[in-house]
Amino acid sequence: MNPFPHVSQELGALLARTGLAPLRLGGRELLPIVQGGMGIGVSAQRLAGAVAAEGGIGTLSSVDLRRHHPDLMAATEGCNAGEDAKRRINEANLVALDREIAGARERSQGRGLVALNVMRAVSEYAASVKRALAAGVDAVVVGAGLPLDLPDLAQDHPKALLIPILSDARGVQLIVKKWERKKRLPDAIVIEHPGLAGGHLGAARIADVNDRRFDFDQVLPACREFFKQAGLERDIPLIAAGGIRSFEDIRRLQDLGAAGVQLGTPFAVTSEGDAHPEFKRVLAEAGDEDMVEFTSVAGLPARAVATPWLKTYLKLEARLQSVAQVKQRCTKAFDCLAQCGLRDGFKDWGQFCIDNQLAAALRGDVKKGLFFRGAGALPFGSQIRSVRELLERMLTPAPALA
């Protein structure tokens, strides 16, 4: 008999033997493992649905999902400027979002949970949140900015799970206090370490990413103590994210007060990952010595593999920033970011089109792509394995592996 009905039979039995606590969320007992959202299109329905089907939380990324749908790409081909072009591209992405949520839910077979990650920094943040909730997504996860208005956007969906991504105890306190005034609490909070995670990082500057205040042994106990002192009527699960690669990592973080963990890069390189095989190869073969931190066009520190395009860009960055100026229109017509260094002429921000570069990576274009990656060796090294195998590895203590 499966002790965890919302987890696959095999992994439910494995979890029961580990001594790890399940992640209790949305009235379900789940694997204490969340798959992080990765755009553009890296975590779409195939990956998110596979993770949910095993009993974890599978997460779609909202950004430019039309790229997985040839008919939607054809319908927006040639959209280069103007409000009509922007409207057509945004609507295509919302149609893609409907399809991806439906596909992930079908693949989940009623197990786990299906979430959507939306960056607070994207211009279509509110529209994406509302569309996802209307489409029946189980949870909305928001990072890259403080989602102070998320309870307002979700007021017609009281059962939907709302999960902010934060990096320190101060941010947690701020969100909880602001949301309490709106009669809602986070259903869980992702605590993402900017010194270990990939993609956009939750620190103000590159120099801050390794600040001690972000360390899990500082943040997790501090958050638990704040919840206790605040007298919250229910527990808020904390999900640690960044550099987590083993069973021992999960056990250590649960001992520190986390209810679960979130992994990005290890899931990105699974056989079910929605990106091109060359994308997976680049991430799987990269070591920490191949990683570089830089400022994104969103004005946030970011971590990626130092591929040819990124090396060339960083050599030119100072020169590009010195001549940055406000442009009359977005390079891609649909203004994907609410504020963009390239479009808005911010001289200290990145000066490239992030949609172009991430889309190239999704296609496996090593020469032109921007390949976000977290720190640390992957559980299977450079091998590409399945979601099931990854979850089994994460739930198996090292001595048993040997």
Side-chain angles (χ1 to χ4, degrees), residues 37-98:
M38 297 167 284
I40 290 174
V42 175
S43 61
Q45 62 171 291
R46 187 170 63 172
L47 176 57
V51 175
E54 297 293 356
I57 298 179
T59 310
L60 303 159
S61 171
S62 71
V63 182
D64 218 7
L65 281 169
R66 68 193 171 112
R67 294 188 178 276
H68 282 298
H69 301 270
D71 63 320
L72 298 178
M73 288 300 289
T76 54
E77 186 176 2
C79 290
N80 292 319
E83 286 301 313
D84 182 62
K86 179 178 178 179
R87 179 191 58 77
R88 286 168 57 193
I89 292 172
N90 288 336
E91 181 55 36
N93 277 319
L94 291 176
V95 171
L97 182 56
D98 286 340

Side-chain angles (χ1 to χ4, degrees), residues 169 172-173 176-177 221-232:
V172 170
Q173 293 179 27
V176 169
K177 290 176 180 178
C223 290
R224 298 250 62 91
E225 180 62 23
F226 163 66
F227 295 158
K228 179 181 177 181
Q229 295 296 328
L232 299 179

Side-chain angles (χ1 to χ4, degrees), residues 13-328:
L14 181 56
L15 176 61
R17 296 195 299 269
T18 64
L20 295 174
L23 174 59
R24 295 178 174 89
L25 196 59
R28 301 185 173 197
E29 290 189 318
L30 307 170
L31 298 177
I33 299 174
V34 177
Q35 167 249 312
M38 297 167 284
I40 290 174
V42 175
S43 61
Q45 62 171 291
R46 187 170 63 172
L47 176 57
V51 175
E54 297 293 356
I57 298 179
T59 310
L60 303 159
S61 171
S62 71
V63 182
D64 218 7
L65 281 169
R66 68 193 171 112
R67 294 188 178 276
H68 282 298
H69 301 270
D71 63 320
L72 298 178
M73 288 300 289
T76 54
E77 186 176 2
C79 290
N80 292 319
E83 286 301 313
D84 182 62
K86 179 178 178 179
R87 179 191 58 77
R88 286 168 57 193
I89 292 172
N90 288 336
E91 181 55 36
N93 277 319
L94 291 176
V95 171
L97 182 56
D98 286 340
R99 294 179 185 177
E100 293 295 318
I101 292 172
R105 289 178 65 86
E106 182 177 355
R107 291 169 187 266
S108 77
Q109 302 172 59
R111 295 190 287 268
L113 292 172
V114 174
L116 178 75
N117 178 286
V118 187
M119 290 175 57
R120 183 64 184 83
V122 299
S123 60
E124 291 303 296
Y125 154 73
S128 296
V129 169
K130 291 181 178 180
R131 188 68 164 250
L133 291 169
V137 77
D138 296 313
V140 174
V141 184
V142 179
L146 289 173
L148 300 177
D149 56 350
L150 187 54
D152 302 318
L153 297 174
Q155 61 182 349
D156 294 332
H157 301 272
K159 294 184 178 180
L161 305 174
L162 306 182
I163 306 174
I165 301 176
L166 303 162
S167 291
D168 61 14
R170 183 173 56 186
V172 170
Q173 293 179 27
L174 176 62
I175 281 287
V176 169
K177 290 176 180 178
K178 294 286 188 180
W179 283 25
E180 272 192 306
R181 297 172 189 168
K182 300 174 185 290
K183 311 297 184 186
R184 193 145 185 181
L185 288 172
D187 294 283
I189 298 173
V190 174
I191 304 295
E192 186 175 81
H193 195 310
L196 300 170
H200 291 103
L201 308 173
R205 303 174 303 157
I206 294 173
D208 295 335
V209 298
N210 291 308
D211 192 293
R212 182 86 171 97
R213 76 179 188 273
F214 296 126
D215 288 353
F216 293 132
D217 62 0
Q218 296 288 310
V219 182
L220 295 172
C223 290
R224 298 250 62 91
E225 180 62 23
F226 163 66
F227 295 158
K228 179 181 177 181
Q229 295 296 328
L232 299 179
E233 70 273 14
R234 64 171 176 78
D235 185 51
I236 299 176
L238 299 174
I239 299 167
I244 297 153
R245 302 291 184 257
S246 68
F247 171 89
E248 287 69 29
D249 288 338
I250 301 176
R251 170 158 283 171
R252 173 177 61 87
L253 290 163
Q254 285 200 337
D255 288 344
L256 285 172
V261 299
Q262 176 175 289
L263 286 68
T265 306
F267 279 114
V269 304
T270 58
S271 52
E272 293 94 338
D274 291 274
H276 190 279
E278 272 295 281
F279 174 94
K280 301 175 188 181
R281 183 192 65 77
V282 169
L283 267 61
E285 293 183 357
D288 283 350
E289 67 279 7
D290 302 310
M291 308 298 292
V292 65
E293 294 158 4
F294 60 100
T295 301
S296 163
V297 291
L300 298 168
R303 179 173 292 110
V305 181
T307 48
W309 172 82
L310 185 52
K311 289 178 182 178
T312 300
Y313 165 73
L314 291 174
K315 288 179 182 178
L316 300 172
E317 183 179 54
R319 189 189 313 169
L320 293 170
Q321 289 176 331
S322 70
V323 296
Q325 57 183 313
V326 177
K327 295 177 176 56
Q328 291 186 340

